[in-house]
Amino acid sequence: MKFHITTMGCQMNVGDGDWLTRSLVSQGFTPAPEDQAEIFILFTCSVRDKPEQKVASELGRIADRHGGNPRAFVAVGGCTAQQSGTALWRRFPMVRLVFGTDGLAGAPRALARIVDEPGLRLSLLDFTESYPEREQTWPEDRLPPKAFVSIMQGCDNFCAYCIVPFVRGRQKSRNLPAVVAEVRALAARGVREVTLLGQNVNSYGLDAAGDGTNFAALLDAVAAVPGIARIRFTTSHPKDLNDDVIARFADLPQLCPALHLPVQSGSDAVLARMGRGYDTAAYLRLVEKLRRGRPDVSLTTDLIVGFPGETDADFRLTLDLVRDVGFDSGFSFMYCDRPGTASERLEPKVAQEVKSARLAALQTLLDARLTAALAAQVGKVTEVLVEGKSRRDGPDGPSWQGRDPGGRIVNMALPGTADATGSLVRARIRQAKKHSLIGEAEADHD
């Protein structure tokens, strides 16, 4: 049968979707566009209310378009599946499989059973004590040059606003040999850049399920894999970012000078109510250390506006922090209550119109920061990992797209190149666009 995967939410869902695709193809299933598929797999997010509403909308849309096909069915995975569970069956009759984050390893076998047994419904919602290793299957042809590698599952932090520990479980780290073996297999198939994924990568290996290897040692081991030219990781919790990991930005050439470091607020009072475990002074010390060791590091962040009790003065402190740090960019969100979290019970709630106004002001500032960060790259020479063709050709012929070490999108022409995918190209940045850069190749690529 033909299947189609739709991914919502975080990069961990993207990585899970990549693995499930490989696994299903190895069993004889065929990936297909949505209009040709009979199995519809949704990787879902419930970190905020809006993505959760999007899941319901998508399920309704699939039912409208494909409900007349008796062979067609839906599988729902990720955080919304873990949160809603088998209640999805009652609300959406086409749903025949729900699987949580720990149940992903069993999803390929469950999907095969459902195909063979019409009317069967299955749920894979139990949490496991250790990281649920997944059987790895690899295609014979080359993979794209970038890949995600999960190094852990779950979170132990229980920030006041966050539903993740409830829908992804407690922290469970993969053993070091399993991570390195996966990276080696990816490198053998043409992958040149890996992004290590976890809810809080800085605490990797230190939970009861881990083997005691810390995150800095994991970075060393991954950097030693032949063929891996670049390493990135996400997400980092500031309270657990230590000097050993910071030092790796200067010591490991493979570790890209780019770090997503969610600060969430610039107000110490709000950070305390959030239960984040640091204040703004501690966060700024981390920024100073990072830039001392790697002056070109690109810093991005997450920010929440309208947390219960946030005042106008608190919000101004957030704007001040964004200016002081000089983030290259950031993701910003309006606070919304999530079921079961501590902040659901906190008062006073901030009015919707106030949250909307604050979000608009913050996004205006972040847009200005992105514009300035891109403009600062003009005239510099950088190395671009080519990911594929651009959507549009440039004036000098076919245009290719990739990213620089800081994670910025770079488009450039490579005349006479049949396929540059996976190449590392030195390029001089000639122009900054709204969300990307225009470069000119300076030398032959590898």
Side-chain angles (χ1 to χ4, degrees):
M1 293 180 68
K2 296 180 179 180
F3 69 93
H4 180 79
I5 292 180
T6 300
T7 303
M8 309 171 190
C10 66
Q11 290 175 312
M12 295 190 73
N13 277 351
V14 176
D16 290 348
D18 290 345
W19 173 83
L20 184 57
T21 296
R22 294 199 306 269
S23 181
L24 290 176
V25 168
S26 73
Q27 293 188 30
F29 290 83
T30 304
E34 187 205 314
D35 60 351
Q36 300 175 23
E38 293 180 298
I39 303 173
F40 305 91
I41 303 167
L42 307 185
F43 282 91
T44 61
C45 175
S46 63
V47 170
R48 295 178 302 280
D49 184 53
K50 187 174 180 179
E52 189 176 336
Q53 293 174 2
K54 186 178 178 181
V55 175
S57 175
E58 183 70 7
L59 288 170
R61 190 185 63 80
I62 291 172
D64 288 342
R65 290 190 177 185
H66 305 281
N69 181 352
R71 286 167 51 86
F73 68 91
V74 179
V76 182
C79 292
T80 300
Q82 189 74 56
Q83 180 182 355
S84 300
T86 56
L88 290 167
W89 292 345
R90 295 188 294 273
R91 188 175 175 190
F92 303 101
M94 282 189 71
V95 174
R96 293 176 58 192
L97 172 65
V98 289
F99 59 96
T101 51
D102 284 4
L104 174 63
R109 188 175 297 108
L111 288 165
R113 280 193 62 193
I114 290 171
V115 169
D116 291 339
E117 301 177 46
L120 178 67
R121 280 179 158 173
L122 295 173
S123 64
L124 304 171
L125 299 171
D126 291 338
F127 287 121
T128 60
E129 293 294 325
S130 59
Y131 183 92
E133 281 294 339
R134 309 162 190 171
E135 182 179 356
Q136 298 292 346
T137 57
W138 304 104
E140 294 182 2
D141 52 348
R142 291 175 67 82
L143 292 170
K146 294 170 56 177
F148 295 114
V149 176
S150 179
I151 66 170
M152 61 201 305
Q153 182 66 276
C155 184
D156 288 343
N157 284 313
F158 289 92
C159 298
Y161 55 84
C162 188
I163 200 172
V164 166
F166 303 100
V167 293
R168 287 189 175 267
R170 303 300 295 269
Q171 180 175 307
K172 302 178 287 289
S173 298
R174 283 179 89 181
N175 290 335
L176 175 68
V179 175
V180 173
E182 182 173 345
V183 173
R184 286 186 182 277
L186 290 167
R189 289 158 178 83
V191 171
R192 308 199 70 177
E193 176 182 308
V194 293
T195 299
L196 307 178
L197 298 178
Q199 301 300 143
N200 179 17
V201 294
N202 295 319
S203 60
Y204 165 82
L206 305 183
D207 49 274
D211 61 7
T213 304
N214 63 29
F215 187 51
L218 175 66
L219 290 173
D220 292 338
V222 173
V225 174
I228 296 300
R230 288 183 175 180
I231 302 169
R232 304 184 193 273
F233 59 82
T234 194
T235 295
S236 286
H237 196 301
K239 76 178 181 62
D240 297 318
L241 178 61
N242 61 37
D243 290 346
D244 287 342
V245 173
I246 291 173
R248 294 310 191 273
F249 281 96
D251 297 341
L252 294 178
Q254 297 89 341
L255 185 56
C256 290
L259 179 62
H260 189 69
L261 193 62
V263 67
Q264 305 300 3
S265 175
S267 164
D268 289 343
V270 173
L271 289 173
R273 289 199 298 276
M274 288 179 169
R276 291 291 286 172
Y278 56 85
D279 57 18
T280 54
Y283 188 91
L284 290 170
R285 285 195 295 272
L286 291 176
V287 171
E288 180 184 4
K289 289 179 182 179
L290 286 161
R291 287 184 168 149
R292 189 187 312 140
R294 194 69 192 263
D296 61 338
V297 67
S298 171
L299 295 176
T300 58
T301 197
D302 290 341
L303 295 151
I304 296 172
V305 302
F307 189 80
E310 182 189 63
T311 64
D312 288 341
D314 291 326
F315 177 64
R316 286 194 295 271
L317 289 172
T318 295
L319 297 178
D320 290 342
L321 183 72
V322 171
R323 297 186 187 99
D324 291 344
V325 174
F327 294 108
D328 277 20
S329 63
F331 297 100
S332 51
F333 312 97
M334 280 192 293
Y335 170 81
C336 61
D337 286 336
R338 304 310 295 136
T341 61
S343 62
E344 186 183 23
R345 303 184 295 275
L346 291 180
E347 297 287 347
K349 305 298 185 188
V350 178
Q352 181 66 32
E353 60 270 20
V354 174
K355 290 193 293 186
S356 296
R358 289 176 183 171
L359 183 65
L362 177 58
Q363 289 180 338
T364 297
L365 177 58
L366 291 171
D367 286 345
R369 284 299 320 146
L370 176 59
T371 298
L374 292 174
Q377 301 306 308
V378 175
K380 294 182 178 180
V381 175
T382 189
E383 190 173 63
V384 179
L385 176 61
V386 179
E387 299 172 19
K389 286 189 175 182
S390 298
R391 294 181 181 177
R392 298 179 181 177
D393 289 342
D396 300 322
S399 184
W400 297 85
Q401 185 176 97
R403 291 182 185 267
D404 71 1
R408 307 172 193 91
I409 297 172
V410 180
N411 294 285
M412 60 189 164
L414 295 171
T417 302
D419 189 358
T421 304
S423 299
L424 287 166
V425 179
R426 282 179 60 80
R428 184 175 296 275
I429 303 303
R430 296 299 189 189
Q431 185 181 357
K433 306 288 280 186
K434 186 175 182 180
H435 296 292
S436 61
L437 300 167
I438 304 297
E440 179 180 325
E442 286 224 319
D444 292 340
H445 51 271
D446 66 358

